[in-house]
Amino acid sequence: MTPAGTLSRNERQIAFGLSVALSVLGFGMAAFAGKGVMAVHGAMALILGLFLVFRVGGRLYEGAPGIERHDRYFDGPTRFGVMMTLVWAIFAMGIGVWVSALLYWPEGTPALPWTSFGRLRPVHTTGIIFGFGGNALIATSFYVLQRTARTRLADAISPWFVLIGFNLFCLWAVSGYLMGSTQSKEYAEAEWYADLWLVVVWVVYFTVYIRTLARRHEPHIYVANWYYMAFILVVAMLHIVNNLAIPVRWNGADSFTIWAGVQDAMIQWWYGHNAVAFFLTSGFLGMLYYYLPVRSGRPIWSYRLSILSFWGIVFFYIWVGSHHLHYTALPYWVQTLGMTFSVMLLVPSWASAGNAIATLNGAWHKVRDDATLRFMFVAAVFYGLSTFEGSFLAIRPVNSLSHYTDWTVGHVHSGTLGWVAMIIFGAIYTMVPQLSGRETMAWPRAIEWHFWLAVGGTLVYVVSMWNAGITQGLMWRAYDLNGALSYSFVESVQAMAPYYLIRTIGGGMFLTGAIVCALNCYATFRSAPYMAEPRDVPLRPTPAE
Amino acid sequence: MLRLHYNLEKLSMGLVVGIIVAASIGGIVEIAPLFTIDETVEIPDDMRPQTPLELAGREIYIREGCYACHSQMVRSLADELDRYGPYSLAAESAYDHPMLWGSKRTGPDLARLGEKYSDDWHSQHLIDPRSVVPASIMPAYPWLIRPLDTEILSDQLATLAKLGVPYDAEMIAAAVGDAIGQSQPDSDAGDAVRERYGADVAVRAFDGDPARLTEMDAVVAYLQSLGTLTNAPYELFAEGAQ
């Protein structure tokens, strides 16, 4: 069934109107800007808008789906979100492997501006965090919200608006970097109009989430939804404050952030570390708290512990950004606060990881046999390991060695590959057969292959970067007997070569696994029975007595 | 407590408010006091804003993502002082929108780079890094020899002035002329740049040819200005050494 076929006639008219509005917006942007990045972005919005106009317009007067659709969950947007998750995974991981190869082989790229390391690197980070992670979060949040509230999404247009709008934001961001347009704020490089657009998308996202929650048939809001809500709310707060900027001209992409110097550094890392907390942790814990119990068939081990760790994470995380600025010009007391809270953060982090692992008690035979559940188990283990490492690296003297080195890169990837990507794959392998009305994935054995490629790739990557980072840190601070520095900077660069090569191999293994996953999902969706629907259904409203 | 939470879980708006409150406290405590910094951290008397040409170079530095591999923040650690020079002061980046302290040193820190190497070295190094540093893994930037687009410069200075960077109306109006002038030594336009931004400003043909204004001029002018906008860190360092 086509996505438009699941909409009523009235909804199709609204969707048609919104598509026309997007085309007009794109045309207006392109015409107003006239040239440069903003004009290209306007043209992109125009093309997307026109595509949607034809897509929806062609089916405007087709037969409407029956009223019985209200007895079903609304999973079209989730299916689309899963597909976009995998598209972004392959694209952004591919770019990641490319840029990592460039550190070993700097001539391995055409001498063109858009293929140079500095422009590709934010494409990798944005593509992974927002494209891969963001689509997975939005897609699973709609799925989990409906199942735990036992109700259908509050309306049919806004979930599509959120997903399509969010992907337009990602596309604007990465294409902007390639054309040389960036704010340079780490993990918030997109220009001002893309940031404004994301705010609009986010308001719609929050609205549909809270409206659906209001229709729930369960008195209690399940813990996974608290985490998704924290993700939506706090990311909005961080995004708005960090991205406040004045455009140089209203018809151009160029802007200056209103923050300067030390305030900007603090705000940028308050954002940066909480992008880790509320984008890359909170929402994914929501995912863990739903898919792990469902797949293992065990209830969450301790409900009290989940309360404790939720509020601990929401409250503590926001303080820790300043540990990125040890020994810098940031006031000393702010650095100390950041360090202290980073160490305290280990308590709620390990409470979550421990809670997840203890949930598997009584289901260890399933962990052994089921690669999908093993993905989630490994994710929980890596979550525990990376949060321990994070608290450790935040301690001031440790940070004096590790900061600015590849140890940080290793730490980030132990979190993103080992934790975030693993839980996404676990969720996808649980959800995709369900969405296709099937018992299993099309190629169950390929999950096993993917699992070992992913675990192997992560370990190769992380271990090589630990070695690289510690070597670098020690070489920079080594003195000889005469009291002179032992190594020039370039000697430390030369020492990195073998680690950079091994890291690229690890990344390549992980990418291969992701491609296997995408093919498997494609085959599963393709082999779904005609008009496949998930077998689980919402509670039906009962007439008043 | 658990009873209270039991009831809170039934209230979606209650959770929303709880999350917003819990997630705001840390940020407010750590960030708000930094805005009194204008009173606690003095901007040195000799601190100057960047010239239009240096600013254009900074925008190219951002465009090419140089900040991803080079920090501009010398930490107060012995080996960094020995390797790079005096540690960075908060005042040095007070006019930086955004700051470029960086988070990774795939290449060395650049906070004290200014006037360490010749202009020729920089041009050659940017066009082909391995021709001067054989073991370098830096990307090559051969396209920097294209002409510099100065059309937006005045508006950029005006925007920064709105944000508190001390550019006056004359500087804003003369931005394009100053950018050209700074790359033409021994010209009236070059002298005018020094008049407006200070006698220490480097006025040179950064890319080796005074007749043309290229992106290379801008980037090299910017790199040569790093750490030279004020003498305060060096003076403080000398005091500490005594």
Side-chain angles (χ1 to χ4, degrees):
Chain A
M1 188 172 345
T2 61
T6 62
L7 303 178
S8 71
R9 279 200 180 163
N10 187 26
E11 286 163 348
R12 277 179 233 173
Q13 283 162 4
I14 296 169
F16 186 75
L18 285 171
S19 309
V20 172
L22 178 63
S23 314
V24 171
L25 175 82
F27 180 75
M29 252 173 86
F32 183 53
K35 63 181 166 59
V37 176
M38 196 171 169
V40 177
H41 284 165
M44 283 162 63
L46 174 63
I47 291 167
L48 176 65
L50 289 177
F51 171 78
L52 292 170
V53 163
F54 284 108
R55 188 83 196 213
V56 179
R59 290 172 180 78
L60 212 48
Y61 296 106
E62 269 179 18
I67 190 78
E68 69 281 0
R69 76 183 191 284
H70 289 292
D71 298 335
R72 291 282 179 186
Y73 291 126
F74 187 51
D75 288 324
T78 301
R79 271 191 209 102
F80 173 72
V82 168
M83 285 184 241
M84 290 313 295
T85 302
L86 292 162
V87 168
W88 280 105
I90 291 170
F91 169 73
M93 286 178 197
I95 300 277
V97 173
W98 184 6
V99 292
S100 82
L102 290 183
L103 289 178
Y104 179 75
W105 183 32
E107 308 286 352
T109 195
L112 298 167
W114 71 270
T115 57
S116 92
F117 179 94
R119 296 197 190 187
L120 289 174
R121 188 249 184 198
V123 173
H124 166 62
T125 52
T126 300
I128 289 294
I129 298 172
F130 294 96
F132 174 55
N135 273 299
L137 284 168
I138 297 173
T140 58
S141 74
F142 289 149
Y143 184 92
V144 172
L145 173 64
Q146 295 184 88
R147 267 79 185 172
T148 54
R150 303 233 265 167
T151 191
R152 190 180 158 90
L153 283 175
D155 81 295
I157 300 293
S158 45
W160 282 112
F161 179 87
V162 171
L163 271 161
I164 294 171
F166 181 75
N167 279 289
L168 179 62
F169 164 80
C170 295
L171 215 55
W172 273 354
V174 299
S175 60
Y177 313 153
L178 293 176
M179 291 183 278
S181 171
T182 168
Q183 284 191 138
S184 91
K185 295 195 149 206
E186 277 196 86
Y187 320 123
E189 291 96 339
E191 279 295 356
W192 61 274
Y193 51 85
D195 291 335
L196 283 175
W197 174 249
L198 186 61
V199 172
V200 174
V201 169
W202 225 245
V203 169
V204 176
Y205 186 22
F206 177 70
T207 310
V208 67
Y209 205 90
I210 209 81
R211 280 179 62 208
T212 308
L213 216 45
R215 297 184 178 194
R216 69 188 181 278
H217 291 299
E218 294 281 344
H220 280 265
I221 301 169
Y222 182 62
V223 55
N225 294 314
W226 316 347
Y227 281 104
Y228 280 120
M229 262 186 347
F231 150 64
I232 297 169
L233 288 167
V234 185
V235 165
M237 180 169 101
L238 298 164
H239 173 78
I240 291 169
V241 174
N242 185 47
N243 284 305
L244 288 174
I246 301 190
V248 173
R249 289 175 187 168
W250 290 106
N251 64 351
D254 202 17
S255 71
F256 287 106
T257 176
I258 69 165
W259 313 115
V262 65
Q263 290 104 327
D264 185 41
M266 184 59 225
I267 286 170
Q268 195 165 310
W269 285 111
W270 167 79
Y271 169 89
H273 204 82
N274 287 297
V276 175
F278 290 93
F279 212 100
L280 295 178
T281 302
S282 168
F284 291 100
L285 282 171
M287 224 182 263
L288 181 81
Y289 273 115
Y290 178 78
Y291 291 98
L292 183 86
V294 162
R295 189 75 187 186
S296 64
R298 308 279 310 168
I300 277 292
W301 181 64
S302 165
Y303 177 73
R304 287 186 186 193
L305 207 54
S306 75
I307 297 176
L308 176 89
S309 52
F310 175 75
W311 291 107
I313 282 171
V314 172
F315 180 72
F316 286 168
Y317 244 120
I318 215 83
W319 296 75
V320 307
S322 52
H323 72 221
H324 288 256
L325 301 166
H326 279 319
Y327 301 99
T328 67
L330 183 77
Y332 195 73
W333 64 269
V334 188
Q335 301 175 18
T336 308
L337 266 182
M339 170 174 75
T340 312
F341 275 86
S342 304
V343 174
M344 293 199 291
L345 190 57
L346 190 59
V347 175
S349 300
W350 272 27
S352 300
N355 208 355
I357 292 169
T359 299
L360 294 170
N361 267 340
W364 289 108
H365 61 287
K366 289 188 188 166
V367 178
R368 183 192 60 205
D369 297 336
D370 179 9
T372 305
L373 193 55
R374 230 179 298 133
F375 265 114
M376 292 191 251
F377 167 65
V378 169
V381 171
F382 266 101
Y383 177 61
L385 289 175
S386 340
T387 48
F388 172 77
E389 190 185 27
S391 297
F392 181 62
L393 293 176
I395 299 169
R396 197 181 270 120
V398 181
N399 196 268
S400 76
L401 179 81
S402 74
H403 196 54
Y404 297 129
T405 73
D406 281 298
W407 194 351
T408 311
V409 180
H411 169 60
V412 169
H413 284 83
S414 116
T416 47
L417 301 177
W419 152 236
V420 170
M422 297 282 185
I423 190 69
I424 291 177
F425 292 134
I428 283 179
Y429 285 130
T430 307
M431 194 167 57
V432 165
Q434 173 78 5
L435 289 173
S436 313
R438 293 171 51 107
E439 287 291 326
T440 59
M441 294 291 292
W443 310 329
R445 282 183 57 79
I447 306 176
E448 211 48 74
W449 278 92
H450 179 196
F451 175 78
W452 290 108
L453 279 168
V455 172
T458 305
L459 288 174
V460 169
Y461 190 111
V462 173
V463 173
S464 65
M465 286 296 96
W466 280 338
N467 279 291
I470 295 170
T471 307
Q472 239 171 358
L474 291 176
M475 284 179 86
W476 290 346
R477 59 162 57 173
Y479 282 93
D480 64 18
L481 290 174
N482 298 321
L485 291 166
S486 299
Y487 301 102
S488 68
F489 192 90
V490 77
E491 284 176 304
S492 77
V493 174
Q494 280 175 298
M496 292 304 104
Y499 305 120
Y500 284 164
L501 177 63
I502 296 168
R503 180 259 298 270
T504 306
I505 295 168
M509 286 166 69
F510 202 91
L511 169 66
T512 312
I515 293 171
V516 171
C517 175
L519 294 174
N520 201 351
C521 290
Y522 180 72
T524 309
F525 279 133
R526 278 294 295 267
S527 67
Y530 181 66
M531 302 273 280
E533 291 275 9
R535 286 179 304 274
D536 53 349
V537 293
L539 282 185
R540 285 154 201 268
T542 42
E545 308 214 352
Chain B
M1 268 317 263
L2 271 180
R3 187 79 213 164
L4 182 75
H5 203 272
Y6 182 84
N7 291 322
L8 183 64
E9 283 160 38
K10 295 184 190 169
L11 271 177
S12 52
M13 276 317 193
L15 279 170
V16 167
V17 172
I19 290 166
I20 292 174
V21 170
S24 299
I25 296 169
I28 291 168
V29 171
E30 290 188 348
I31 294 170
L34 297 181
F35 288 90
T36 61
I37 223 159
D38 296 338
E39 294 143 39
T40 45
V41 173
E42 257 179 86
I43 297 213
D45 293 336
D46 65 341
M47 175 87 183
R48 69 169 175 90
Q50 269 153 339
T51 65
L53 189 63
E54 290 159 2
L55 182 71
R58 188 174 198 270
E59 292 294 300
I60 295 168
Y61 181 95
I62 290 174
R63 180 187 80 192
E64 302 300 344
C66 307
Y67 59 87
C69 293
H70 293 285
S71 59
Q72 290 186 22
M73 170 53 60
V74 181
R75 297 180 295 173
S76 50
L77 297 167
D79 58 294
E80 300 211 355
L81 305 186
D82 286 340
R83 190 180 297 279
Y84 301 115
Y87 58 84
S88 301
L89 304 182
E92 285 183 89
S93 49
Y95 300 145
D96 285 2
H97 295 265
M99 59 90 206
L100 295 171
W101 293 7
S103 60
K104 178 74 174 63
R105 285 181 187 156
T106 304
D109 188 274
L110 302 183
R112 301 280 170 251
L113 182 69
E115 303 302 338
K116 227 178 206 175
Y117 300 90
S118 69
D119 296 339
D120 276 351
W121 185 92
H122 278 299
S123 308
Q124 187 59 36
H125 182 244
L126 286 163
I127 291 170
D128 182 4
R130 276 156 291 284
S131 68
V132 282
V133 184
S136 168
I137 57 170
M138 192 172 107
Y141 298 95
W143 55 88
L144 291 183
I145 50 168
R146 67 190 175 200
L148 178 70
D149 184 2
T150 54
E151 187 243 351
I152 203 171
L153 261 180
S154 281
D155 287 351
Q156 285 179 327
L157 260 67
T159 309
L160 286 171
K162 267 187 232 159
L163 292 168
V165 182
Y167 289 121
D168 57 31
E170 190 195 329
M171 289 166 165
I172 294 169
V176 176
D178 282 351
I180 298 167
Q182 201 183 344
S183 71
Q184 290 176 337
D186 309 318
S187 67
D188 291 344
D191 295 340
V193 176
R194 283 214 162 106
E195 232 163 78
R196 272 187 275 276
Y197 291 90
D200 293 338
V201 172
V203 176
R204 298 196 292 261
F206 294 97
D207 67 352
D209 184 353
R212 58 180 187 179
L213 183 67
T214 59
E215 293 193 340
M216 186 64 82
D217 277 311
V219 174
V220 175
Y222 170 64
L223 295 176
Q224 295 290 27
S225 79
L226 292 174
T228 68
L229 301 184
T230 166
N231 251 329
Y234 302 92
E235 284 161 12
L236 205 69
F237 193 59
E239 274 171 38
Q242 278 166 11

